[in-house]
Amino acid sequence: MQHFFVDRSQVEEDRVWIQGTDVNHIRNVLRMRVGEQIQISDGSNRVRLCRIMKIESDRIETEILSVEESFAELPAQIYLFQGIPKGDKMEFIIQKAVELGVYAIVPMQTNRVVVKLDEKKEQSRLKRWNSIAESAAKQSGRTVIPKVLPVMDLEEVCYFIKEFECKMIPYECAEKGVERTKELVEGIQQNSRVGVLIGPEGGFEKEEVAMAIESGIEAVSLGRRILRTETAGMVVLGVMMFSLEK
């Protein structure tokens, strides 16, 4: 069943209108026809089963057949602050983070980040990254498309999450072991905001970790092995997903 996202303004009592790039995808890529059924989400925890009624050049009219509650979203908002890695690793991280239930992803500039983005490159990357997030949300049956937010430096991140109920920075030299990490994860409450800071290749510098700790972010351990940047965030998100989906 093909899954699409619309704005709430496109939803009427018994109709949903699809506009934008999805029109071309439905018409010319999927080659769908009048009468075929699709699923549509509008950013709420509801999924509408719809039948295509009319296919026009700039929009598609569908009839709502049924509306069901969805439990695809995690009960807490998890923000992944990811030190920007080299190459196309960021695309992989975004795709998998969305599949695991992340609420938002923030590319993070730290001292050991090699990639330097000027304003033009950042806008181009953000457009690409958000497209990947939308595609992953469709594939994984999400009812919300997680946003990839503009790049922040570490100081901005510390300020952004100062009111979050849970915030952690995985660090190989963390004083407390994985038992403390488990306590933090198991203590996450519904409707709370969670911030997870992941360093780039080479990790965080000691001064950066000290800044995070001073800002109230707890340094945590992910075990006795050193994980790559594209692995660390997925480990944390996977553990949180299983803990929250009770």
Side-chain angles (χ1 to χ4, degrees):
M1 182 72 69
Q2 296 293 331
H3 194 127
F4 299 94
F5 290 91
V6 299
D7 186 84
R8 294 184 187 182
S9 63
Q10 296 166 240
V11 180
E12 299 179 359
E13 184 176 351
D14 62 347
R15 293 285 190 273
V16 179
W17 299 89
I18 296 176
Q19 299 172 324
T21 57
D22 281 336
V23 174
N24 178 68
H25 188 66
I26 291 172
R27 291 181 60 198
N28 303 318
V29 179
L30 299 176
R31 296 185 181 276
M32 301 189 77
R33 297 290 181 261
V34 170
E36 292 192 62
Q37 296 181 6
I38 58 177
Q39 291 181 330
I40 298 179
S41 298
D42 65 355
S44 64
N45 288 326
R46 291 182 293 179
V47 176
R48 291 172 173 83
L49 177 63
C50 298
R51 179 192 295 120
I52 296 176
M53 300 297 291
K54 187 185 297 183
I55 299 177
E56 301 176 354
S57 61
D58 60 345
R59 67 177 187 172
I60 293 173
E61 178 186 354
T62 71
E63 176 190 21
I64 299 174
L65 301 178
S66 63
V67 182
E68 295 183 359
E69 292 294 320
S70 172
F71 300 95
E73 300 304 318
L74 295 178
Q77 297 180 357
I78 304 174
Y79 288 72
L80 176 65
F81 299 87
Q82 173 66 53
I84 304 172
K86 294 181 291 187
D88 59 359
K89 291 179 183 178
M90 192 67 179
E91 297 185 3
F92 172 85
I93 291 169
I94 291 168
Q95 182 188 69
K96 300 311 172 188
V98 170
E99 292 177 17
L100 290 169
V102 76
Y103 180 79
I105 300 162
V106 181
M108 184 171 55
Q109 189 76 43
T110 66
N111 292 341
R112 291 177 179 169
V113 167
V114 175
V115 179
K116 305 298 180 183
L117 300 177
D118 57 28
E119 185 176 348
K120 185 176 181 180
K121 286 183 178 179
E122 180 180 342
Q123 292 305 314
S124 176
R125 292 283 182 92
L126 284 175
K127 183 177 180 180
R128 168 67 178 164
W129 290 339
N130 275 290
S131 175
I132 291 170
E134 180 175 353
S135 178
K138 290 177 179 178
Q139 183 276 326
S140 57
R142 298 283 300 269
T143 56
V144 173
I145 303 174
K147 293 293 185 183
V148 182
L149 302 179
V151 177
M152 297 183 190
D153 61 30
L154 184 58
E155 185 175 355
E156 290 172 322
V157 170
C158 290
Y159 180 79
F160 184 83
I161 68 173
K162 66 178 183 178
E163 302 298 333
F164 279 27
E165 290 77 14
C166 178
K167 39 199 174 182
M168 62 182 71
I169 178 169
Y171 182 51
E172 61 271 18
C173 298
E175 295 181 1
K176 299 178 181 178
V178 292
E179 289 302 320
R180 175 54 183 162
T181 310
K182 293 177 183 177
E183 289 178 5
L184 285 175
V185 171
E186 292 172 357
I188 296 174
Q189 301 295 314
Q190 290 191 7
N191 302 316
S192 62
R193 293 164 299 170
V194 181
V196 180
L197 282 65
I198 303 295
E201 293 96 342
F204 291 105
E205 294 184 349
K206 290 182 179 180
E207 294 77 11
E208 293 176 317
V209 177
M211 177 195 298
I213 294 174
E214 188 175 345
S215 299
I217 302 169
E218 186 161 350
V220 299
S221 171
L222 298 182
R224 299 175 181 175
R225 291 151 297 283
I226 303 297
L227 304 180
R228 293 178 183 269
T229 185
E230 64 268 32
T231 307
M234 302 310 103
V235 169
V236 178
L237 291 175
V239 171
M240 287 183 177
M241 181 189 72
F242 277 107
S243 177
L244 287 165
E245 289 189 344
K246 297 178 180 177

